[in-house]
Amino acid sequence: MKKALALIALILALMMVLSLASCGGEPTETKGPENPNTSAPETQKPDDGPTDGEVANKDKPLVWFNRQPSNSSTGELDMTAMNFNKDTYYVGFDAVQGAELQGEMILEYIKAHIDEIDRNGDGVIGYVLAIGDIGHNDSVARTRGVRKALDTAVEENGAIKSDAVGVNADGTATAVKDGTLEINGKTYTVRELASQEMKNSAGATWDAATAGNTIGTWVSTFGDQIDIVASNNDGMGMAMFNAWSKENKVPTFGYDANADAVAAIADGYGGTISQHADVQAYLTLRVLRNALDGVDVDTGIGTADDAGNVLSDDVYKYVEAERSYYALNAAVTAENYQDFLDATKPYGPVSNQLSTDSHPTKSVWLNIYNAADNFLSATYQPLLQNYDDLLNLTVEYIGGDGQTEGNITNRLSNPSQYDAFAINMVKTDNSASYTALLNQ
């Protein structure tokens, strides 16, 4: 009997030892090559948190906007930057179409008001031109558009010259020529009296304060010879309008359809061009949203998304070879300016809220090249801030000084905490300043 009890105790003891070894020992490591069909579950990150290394920064969605990567001297696109990764695109507007539209708007105004345009009755329609940035392709296009429409363009190697002429009182400048217009049976001479890049002492271009000061210099030189004031944008145009041309009833034309410029049309501002900032801002964030969702890039753009957002082809175009979305432009004049008074209102057909269930919140780093730029700060960024909520994007907005890339890039020290990037460069040549950070 005792032997039987001892045997039972021994068996129980052995069973306990085996049980403890199974539960409390070191786990057995499963190695990939030995068990190729077994994989550890992926760690899920918070929808609105950092990527924690799940996607390399160089592979995250990137949109260049407002300033297209390009050679500032030739305008040739930087296709290396445009092909940084499979989810890299550019969003802007059709610069050539808009520039030609601005020139045509000025020309039509002259024709319609020819009886009062020539202020001193000398038969010469004199205009002055504020140039934003001689190395910026949009600025170049707008200068060319005005000169082409007013017959003052000079071509070189098949392209209209876009250089600033300085002062051209006698019409002998080589970058432009005296044009002619036939209106109501009378021939008028058209002369670009002066043009200048509006750059301040710190180096910032498109500078409104510089334009406001420069119009005073031009008036002291030309007086009532100035019949038209033209500007590459509304920021500079409004500075000149408020400083001189409003009081002297000289029509002034800009570009961007900024709210203050549109409202000023009621007070004599000649007109402006809407580059459909509402469509551009939407596209800037929409392209990122689509890449983050892993859906076709055309979703919510050319084809309706699950919330019904879609754009018609009369407000944008996509150029596949350039990987670029371009908003189309519209002239804003005394006839239709009331339709453009609210510049920060989202575009109706793409203002539907996305579901967070299907489109979880993601984080985006986005910079504005110059926080003092009127169009970008007063129109574009407020539109972006409206769309980021609709598209479930948490965006960190970075404002630059308009002078150096370093003022912006030094605030992209930890790109790993963002899911996507939207970049607005100071200079169109400097894409590598940003991609180098994402390649680290």
Side-chain angles (χ1 to χ4, degrees):
M1 182 67 177
K2 289 182 179 179
K3 289 182 178 180
L5 291 172
L7 180 60
I8 292 171
L10 178 61
I11 292 171
L12 290 173
L14 288 171
M15 291 175 64
M16 184 175 293
V17 169
L18 290 172
S19 176
L20 289 171
S22 174
C23 296
E26 290 295 321
T28 302
E29 180 180 3
T30 302
K31 295 181 180 179
E34 296 174 1
N35 193 359
N37 295 321
T38 303
S39 61
E42 293 184 3
T43 302
Q44 296 295 316
K45 73 176 184 68
D47 289 335
D48 58 350
T51 57
D52 295 330
E54 289 182 9
V55 179
N57 294 323
K58 66 181 180 63
D59 297 324
K60 293 176 182 176
L62 167 63
V63 166
W64 308 100
F65 73 96
N66 185 252
R67 296 192 164 202
Q68 193 168 27
S70 58
N71 184 306
S72 61
S73 299
T74 66
E76 181 182 3
L77 296 188
D78 179 358
M79 294 310 297
T80 299
M82 293 306 307
N83 287 285
F84 177 65
N85 63 33
K86 67 180 181 63
D87 291 320
T88 297
Y89 295 89
Y90 171 72
V91 170
F93 65 99
D94 190 331
V96 174
Q97 179 249 352
E100 292 182 349
L101 196 59
Q102 185 190 31
E104 291 166 6
M105 175 178 63
I106 297 172
L107 177 60
E108 291 305 312
Y109 185 97
I110 292 172
K111 290 179 178 178
H113 298 84
I114 191 60
D115 292 338
E116 64 263 23
I117 276 289
D118 185 8
R119 296 200 302 147
N120 63 2
D122 63 354
V124 177
I125 299 171
Y127 71 93
V128 293
L129 174 64
I131 296 175
D133 181 343
I134 57 174
H136 191 296
N137 48 0
D138 292 342
S139 186
V140 168
R142 294 172 198 178
T143 296
R144 288 172 172 169
V146 170
R147 290 174 177 173
K148 178 181 178 181
L150 299 185
D151 193 37
T152 58
V154 170
E155 289 195 11
E156 183 176 67
N157 299 322
I160 295 173
K161 287 187 175 183
S162 58
D163 315 61
V165 302
V167 172
N168 182 38
D170 57 3
T172 59
T174 57
V176 293
K177 66 178 179 66
D178 280 358
T180 57
L181 289 179
E182 296 282 345
I183 305 174
N184 298 334
K186 182 177 179 179
T187 301
Y188 294 86
T189 297
V190 184
R191 178 173 298 166
E192 185 172 306
L193 296 170
S195 56
Q196 176 183 317
E197 181 186 41
M198 298 305 168
K199 179 188 290 188
N200 67 20
S201 58
T205 53
W206 304 84
D207 189 63
T210 301
N213 293 328
T214 300
I215 190 66
T217 302
W218 285 341
V219 169
S220 66
T221 302
F222 299 107
D224 61 6
Q225 291 177 268
I226 301 176
D227 302 311
I228 295 282
V229 176
S231 174
N232 282 173
N233 77 355
D234 281 333
M236 299 181 299
M238 282 298 293
M240 296 187 291
F241 181 70
N242 290 327
W244 176 75
S245 51
K246 177 180 179 180
E247 182 179 350
N248 290 275
K249 303 186 184 308
V250 174
T252 301
F253 297 86
Y255 201 114
D256 287 336
N258 289 345
D260 60 341
V262 174
I265 291 176
D267 298 321
Y269 196 69
T272 182
I273 299 294
S274 168
Q275 51 175 279
H276 262 306
D278 49 359
V279 173
Q280 287 187 69
Y282 172 75
L283 287 168
T284 298
L285 296 181
R286 183 76 218 204
V287 169
L288 295 178
R289 178 76 262 178
N290 289 343
L292 291 167
D293 288 346
V295 299
D296 189 278
V297 69
D298 195 49
T299 304
I301 300 174
T303 57
D305 64 13
D306 49 13
N309 294 303
V310 66
L311 293 171
S312 56
D313 58 11
D314 61 341
V315 295
Y316 87 100
K317 69 177 183 178
Y318 176 61
V319 180
E320 185 176 6
E322 299 175 359
R323 299 183 63 82
S324 297
Y325 283 92
Y326 301 104
L328 301 180
N329 304 265
V332 183
T333 65
E335 286 70 36
N336 66 348
Y337 77 94
Q338 293 185 349
D339 296 334
F340 294 85
L341 286 171
D342 188 353
T344 62
K345 181 181 178 181
Y347 189 58
V350 289
S351 59
N352 300 318
Q353 178 71 53
L354 296 186
S355 164
T356 54
D357 293 335
S358 303
H359 311 276
T361 303
K362 299 291 182 180
S363 60
V364 175
W365 186 93
L366 181 151
N367 81 282
I368 300 293
Y369 97 96
N370 184 0
D373 183 280
N374 187 267
F375 168 66
L376 291 169
S377 63
T379 300
Y380 210 110
Q381 183 169 331
L383 282 165
L384 289 168
Q385 290 169 324
N386 285 327
Y387 286 122
D388 63 21
D389 289 333
L390 295 173
L391 297 174
N392 303 326
L393 297 173
T394 300
V395 181
E396 181 173 350
Y397 294 92
I398 304 296
D401 62 5
Q403 301 166 33
T404 63
E405 306 294 346
N407 182 259
I408 300 166
T409 54
N410 63 13
R411 286 179 279 177
L412 186 55
S413 58
N414 186 16
S416 295
Q417 71 184 94
Y418 304 98
D419 298 304
F421 307 92
I423 295 173
N424 175 210
M425 296 175 289
V426 174
K427 293 295 182 184
T428 61
D429 307 87
N430 290 343
S431 61
S433 299
Y434 300 89
T435 55
L437 294 173
L438 301 182
N439 270 321
Q440 293 178 359

